[in-house]
Amino acid sequence: MKRIAKIFLALLLVLVGLAAVAITFTVGWRPVIGPKARPLTTRVFDRTPQRLERGRYMAAALNGCIYCHSPHDWNATGTPYVPGMEGAGAIMPETNLPGRVVAPNLTPDPETGAGLWTDDQLARAIREGVGHDGRALFPMMPYTNYREMSDEDLASVVVYFRSLPPVRNPLPPTEMIFPVKYLIRGVPKPLTSPVPEILVTLDPVKRGEYLVRLVSCGNCHTPAVRGQQLPSMAFAGGFTRSGPWGSATSANLTPDPSGIPYYDEALFLEVMRTGFVKARHFSPAMPTMVSKNMSDDDLKAIFAYLRTLKPVQHRVDNSEPPTYCKLCRQKHGAGNRN
């Protein structure tokens, strides 16, 4: 019996060792031990009129913070915010998410909002993906893009959040399904060096690239398989959002004939402001209520960058029934024509 026990123990140790090696070289240990996070600081961002105005513009027009962190009337034309609830948090309406995703209350309410959160807790959540309570944020909150947000823009956003009227709005916590709730712990990464400003005098294409990251265009306009974007299909469309608006698949934004090569600058500005391409209306899944608030200069810079994208042949047509697409490995309108 002792010999059998020793053999069993040896086999158990071997299995544990193999499991440890497998974890180390696949998903890593973050799903087990939690996200990597830097220590919080006591920094406080100076509340200046310039920062307040810049933060308001970013939250309403660029980052879309208010869009995601506010409840909407999804049945009304233009999907407006529920009056008086701007920034008060909301359960995300998408029906094809791996669980319940909740955008928290960003208003300074001390009980249900961010009233007791420090400036650095907000800053760390925005750019590094670690919540005020130390948990990893679901990357639907595009903090992997916001890592490139300049220090000054970050300060402006936080200053604006602090200016919101406090709104009491109790919300349930985010709850992801297994194993997603553990896998997302490996996404956050500490940011320990300064991020300089992108000068407005910079080349418009470079500035447009920065803005596209802040707006997170690529997150919706790049197809993903098991949560991982396909690099070869960047901005080529094929990502489907399902919710109160039904199901809508993002368009190909590249200059390929299957994309938007016929757009000129004037048409692009008109589309982003109105949600219409001539007589064709965008699905509410495209948040034109955010993009319509962008300045002409910012929209022109974004368009200049989109014109430099690598053309990708990928036809997406929401007017047709969804069929399997071998390119993006998803089902969408005109998928079988690729």
Side-chain angles (χ1 to χ4, degrees):
M1 289 296 292
K2 289 183 178 180
R3 184 179 179 185
I4 292 175
K6 288 181 179 179
I7 293 173
F8 177 78
L9 180 60
L11 288 173
L12 182 61
L13 291 174
V14 169
L15 289 174
V16 169
L18 289 174
V21 171
I23 291 172
T24 301
F25 290 99
T26 53
V27 298
W29 287 97
R30 286 296 157 192
V32 179
I33 64 177
K36 190 173 183 179
R38 64 169 174 79
L40 288 164
T41 70
T42 57
R43 64 175 168 172
V44 176
F45 299 116
D46 291 337
R47 275 63 165 158
T48 66
Q50 293 80 10
R51 281 180 170 169
L52 178 60
E53 190 59 31
R54 174 63 176 171
R56 179 181 291 109
Y57 175 69
M58 292 189 68
L62 291 181
N63 301 44
C65 310
I66 299 302
Y67 178 84
C68 286
H69 287 266
S70 303
H72 294 244
D73 183 350
W74 294 107
N75 296 315
T77 301
T79 65
Y81 304 128
V82 175
M85 297 293 287
E86 290 85 350
I91 299 173
M92 300 308 291
E94 281 83 353
T95 57
N96 55 343
L97 296 174
R100 180 182 64 208
V101 180
V102 179
N105 184 347
L106 297 178
T107 75
D109 181 70
E111 294 183 21
T112 67
L116 300 180
W117 303 357
T118 67
D119 282 11
D120 200 38
Q121 282 177 323
L122 282 166
R124 191 177 67 173
I126 293 168
R127 291 200 304 192
E128 300 164 57
V130 177
H132 70 284
D133 52 4
R135 64 186 172 84
L137 302 182
F138 183 57
M140 184 178 185
M141 155 67 176
Y143 53 85
T144 54
N145 292 339
Y146 295 163
R147 286 181 65 81
E148 296 186 14
M149 185 188 300
S150 71
D151 293 341
E152 184 58 32
D153 277 348
L154 173 70
S156 297
V157 170
V158 172
V159 167
Y160 172 68
F161 289 163
R162 297 307 200 192
S163 76
L164 293 171
V167 178
R168 179 174 174 77
N169 186 29
L171 291 164
T174 291
E175 186 60 47
M176 309 308 300
I177 63 172
F178 178 87
V180 177
K181 66 185 300 181
Y182 296 104
L183 294 177
I184 60 173
R185 294 177 179 177
V187 181
K189 292 180 175 59
L191 191 60
T192 55
S193 57
V195 182
E197 275 193 89
I198 298 293
L199 300 178
V200 295
T201 54
L202 217 58
D203 179 281
V205 172
K206 290 292 185 184
R207 184 158 165 264
E209 183 178 13
Y210 173 71
L211 293 171
V212 162
R213 290 283 288 181
L214 290 188
V215 179
S216 301
C217 307
N219 286 36
C220 286
H221 287 271
T222 302
V225 175
R226 291 189 291 276
Q228 298 297 314
Q229 292 187 345
L230 301 176
S232 62
M233 300 291 289
F235 295 93
F239 183 89
T240 299
R241 291 184 67 200
S242 299
W245 50 79
S247 289
T249 302
S250 59
N252 184 345
L253 298 183
T254 76
D256 184 80
S258 60
I260 57 170
Y262 57 93
Y263 274 38
D264 58 19
E265 187 177 82
L267 178 59
F268 181 74
L269 266 65
E270 178 185 334
V271 166
M272 297 297 280
R273 290 249 168 30
T274 66
F276 280 86
V277 184
K278 301 305 181 183
R280 180 165 56 89
H281 187 224
F282 282 163
S283 163
M286 168 66 186
T288 49
M289 65 180 299
V290 175
S291 60
K292 71 180 182 181
N293 297 317
M294 291 186 200
S295 69
D296 285 355
D297 285 345
D298 282 352
L299 285 173
K300 289 175 181 179
I302 288 173
F303 181 69
Y305 172 69
L306 293 179
R307 299 296 286 175
T308 69
L309 294 174
K310 175 187 173 183
V312 180
Q313 184 176 4
H314 186 222
R315 184 171 178 178
V316 179
D317 188 343
N318 282 302
S319 68
E320 297 188 14
T323 50
Y324 181 75
C325 174
K326 63 184 179 183
L327 295 180
C328 67
R329 289 176 269 171
Q330 310 293 317
K331 280 188 174 183
H332 58 75
N336 59 351
R337 299 192 185 189
N338 292 312

